[in-house]
Amino acid sequence: MDTKLNTTFNPADIETRWYKHWEESGAFRPERPDAEPFTIVNPPPNVTGSLHIGHALDNTLQDVVIRYERLRGKDALWVVGTDHAGIATQMVVERQLEAKQDKRTNYSRDEFVDKVWEWKAESGGQITHQLRRLGCSMDWSREQFTMDPHFTKAVLKTFVDLYNDGLIYRDKRLVNWDPKLKTAISDLEVEQQTIAGSFWHFKYPLADGATLPDGRDYLEVATTRPETMLADMAVAVHPDDERYRSVVGKHIILPITGRRIPVVADEHADPELGSGCVKITPGHDFNDFEVGKRAGFVAGEMLNMLDADANVCQTADGLVPEEFLGLHRFKRDGVDGARELVVQRMKEQGYLIPHVTRNKAGEEVEHDAEPRQIATPFGDRGGVVIEPWLTDQWYVDAAKLAEKPIKDVRDGTIEIVPKSWEKTFFNWMENIQPWCVSRQLWWGHRIPAWFDADGNVYVAMSEEEAQAQAGEGVALTRDEDVLDTWFSSALWPFATLGWPEDGQPLLEKHFPNNLLISGFDILFFWDARMMMMGQYNMGQAPWPRLYLHGLVRAADGAKMSKSKGNVVDPLGLIDQYGADALRFFMAAMESQGRDIKMDEKRVEGYRNFATKLWNATRFCQSNGIGASTTLKAPTARLAANQWIIGEVQACVAEIDKAMADLRFDAAANAIYQFTWSKFCDWYLELIKPVFAEGASEMAASETREVAGWALDQILVMLHPFMPFITEELWHAQGERKYDLILAQWPNPRAEVSKDATDAIDWVIDLTTNVRSAKNELGIAPGAKLAAYLPAASPLAASTVERSSAAIERLARLTPVTLDEAPAGPAMQVTALGDIFVIPLEGIIDIEAEKTRLAKALEASAKEAKSLEGRLSNPNFVERAKPEAVEKAKADHAHHSGEVERLTAALARLG
């Protein structure tokens, strides 16, 4: 047996060494052809990415599950890979070119794509090395990339099949256009930000001498985007709005352009908002697009006034004045844009209705616009305001594909954990819009569609197949667009296993997967799309359970962001405290989808937990306690040994239940409490006398065997959470036939004496309560006190008789008399219902102690009442800073606890 554990635990010494050994030895995918499969796939991180705290949580939970199932003998496969991340990767490479005063358009498409592949070979995949530092036991031998040839084939086949089944089509619709990246992006990639803006009011003059009942010859419209009036096609009023019923069907001569546009009746116009008149620009607003369709405008007729850079271009009717052409939509670099010029011209022509306020003197002051805080869409990567833009794109009939996933969740084929996310899932899926899957990029899976000169489209796996469809001699041009990254990652659960090739044993065994773990924030980005594609391509759900975890937030509960400067680097935490401590923090704090508040002190605390286990192992080694050779619990005669065997069994059952329920916090807490409290604090204390000089060799031999077995069970149960330290200690305890990562999950199969375990529980409860009472009354912890037990239970009587030495050593009670206590001041302490009376005459100054306790009780009660009043005041709770409210809650809990403790202490003194 190796007894050369260092006196201090240093994670850095062991982490790299053990990870390299596991990976090189094939431990992450042991040969278990006949074993029951267990499969998870990682949400493939962007190839451009680096490990952030959200990745650390997500991958820790997955690793806890996969290591647990591997220990339980499963053929455990954790599929790993990275996503080509179309927009993100293209942005990285373009930035590198810009740094060299170069740009993408200086190259052909193929030349630029070659540069991206070069970048990937040199710099891509940094995150995969960082996942190794976290301890993730992924099957790196089968690492995947969404642009690998086999994966590309799966993507193309899916597109072609969907097209042939009428589930992919080309359509002219509004998209979220990112003028910075010059590509369409999905609704899910749009962030709403509230920014300072303005509300302008304009007169739109009625045509042909029409007037309103009040005599006005114009309609008043208000807008936050005046530049879009260059492409207005109608004004909408509510069909029941009496003010405007007479002009429905009449026309307006639009200022600036002179375009003749109709007044239409549509319920989109709210009579209660503003004037009740809404300008309709169907080519640049999603709501207006729907109003326009209802008014009879087909998409091909809707006017577009902006180019891909969000500069003004000429509309199809040619009515935009030349002075606007080429202007950016907004003011930029100090130069007025289309917005500013529209407002200027409307004001000059008398069509601007000023916003009137009063100054301090009560005088009316006119302003061009009313200041407003406006919810504005921004691209989450481009960082500029998104422009609704009318363009031809490829769409998937998401509503049709959503039908089976909705049914799967409704009938329990897929269980969403926590269940509270089901409502959100149904709400989104049942109202799902067509999925725009085309992107105007060069990096990605190019859409397998070819066009002839007449605009006919041919969708096929290859150009040769497309040519065969078109006929010989027909010139074809391939679609320039690539597919949305989420289209390819939706195939992850089965394309990574060999689909669509026939005869793939890995696919047959490991699909469907067993579980998906992901952040709730990609439920619709990724999870729902995998459900759709699993049903479409494989005819079944991709997994039976979906676990959605929360976000990791800053210590004050705020969302982490670089702009706030509150981002926590998980690699920094690993450097400081070790991967095991960070992993245990993540698991222990993960409570069924609730957000986690980052708490570095907790991470430090779990590093201390690892150190305690390290020192406990050193204690075992110093007493000849080494590796166990049995999975079954050893035979035990001593009460303490029977007790620890029973506690191991209880801990195993508790962890198994927690893992079955996906309660990571409960599982982590079970092994933490058992290791720290039951094994280190109590069991090792209980067995110390066994190794004292003159003790029974038979008792020492049994205890070494049981203690070595119990420590082994701790290492196995703790391994999914803290893989590095447990593997190190596993081997430090003696020669092993296999690494801990491939050990067997505990199976004690033991019967223990209830009398023996009850006796130990009784001693522990007595010791705990005596120590607490001493602390409350200021009595030195080591002081030995006489104790009386006037009405001893049978358990108490037998335990006092057999274990008086343990009671004296642990509870510091001697002698213990089974009789009435003498008269005089005393305190009462319980042990599982038995009431001890402990005389205090000469031990403490009773009256002085009562005075001290009463004074402290009064102060805490007063403070608790004050804090309770503050916390029950809505003004404080709603308006104070979150950290101030949290502190008040913590202080209230502290003082309330003090009131209970001090009240109990006074009661002890009688």
Side-chain angles (χ1 to χ4, degrees), residues 9-13 15-16 51 130 133-134 569-582 600 603 607:
F9 166 53
N10 184 355
D13 289 344
E15 291 179 359
T16 304
L51 191 74
Q130 296 169 336
R133 287 204 62 195
L134 189 63
D569 177 14
L571 297 172
L573 293 172
I574 291 173
D575 289 339
Q576 191 168 0
Y577 302 111
D580 286 332
L582 177 60
E600 194 169 324
V603 180
R607 158 68 191 266

Side-chain angles (χ1 to χ4, degrees), residues 95-112:
R95 282 198 203 103
Q96 288 188 343
L97 291 175
E98 287 170 10
K100 301 172 184 175
Q101 283 76 53
D102 201 354
K103 57 184 178 180
R104 171 170 60 97
T105 50
N106 288 341
Y107 301 89
S108 70
R109 183 186 189 122
D110 289 343
E111 287 171 340
F112 178 76

Side-chain angles (χ1 to χ4, degrees), residues 316-331:
D317 59 9
L319 293 177
V320 176
E322 189 172 343
E323 66 173 331
F324 287 91
L325 300 180
L327 286 180
H328 190 62
R329 54 183 174 163
F330 306 140
K331 189 171 188 172

Side-chain angles (χ1 to χ4, degrees), residues 582-653:
L582 177 60
R583 289 167 59 102
F584 203 93
F585 168 79
M586 291 298 183
M589 297 296 284
E590 172 53 32
S591 181
Q592 295 250 325
R594 294 193 186 99
D595 287 349
I596 292 174
K597 287 184 183 177
M598 194 61 228
D599 185 347
E600 194 169 324
K601 282 292 182 187
R602 289 288 292 267
V603 180
E604 183 181 9
Y606 293 128
R607 158 68 191 266
N608 296 340
F609 170 58
T611 298
K612 190 174 183 75
L613 178 60
W614 184 273
N615 291 333
T617 306
R618 292 181 63 241
F619 168 83
C620 288
Q621 290 182 349
S622 69
N623 286 284
I625 299 167
S628 177
T629 58
T630 174
L631 186 65
K632 188 176 185 294
T635 302
R637 182 182 57 84
L638 297 181
N641 290 334
Q642 292 197 44
W643 176 77
I644 199 64
I645 290 170
E647 292 297 331
V648 167
Q649 291 189 125
C651 185
V652 173

Side-chain angles (χ1 to χ4, degrees), residues 347-414:
K347 187 175 184 179
E348 290 169 354
Q349 295 172 26
Y351 294 120
L352 176 69
I353 301 173
H355 173 63
V356 179
T357 62
R358 291 187 180 276
N359 61 20
K360 290 182 179 179
E363 302 162 331
E364 288 190 350
V365 180
E366 291 188 351
H367 310 273
D368 286 353
E370 174 187 355
R372 285 278 184 94
Q373 292 294 309
I374 300 168
T376 306
F378 282 78
D380 63 355
R381 292 194 181 277
V384 300
V385 176
I386 292 304
E387 187 65 47
W389 202 47
L390 195 63
T391 179
D392 291 303
Q393 302 283 350
W394 289 94
Y395 290 89
V396 170
D397 186 349
K400 184 68 177 174
L401 290 179
E403 290 174 2
K404 287 183 178 177
I406 290 170
K407 180 178 180 297
D408 283 341
V409 175
R410 284 211 185 281
D411 66 20
T413 301
I414 293 177

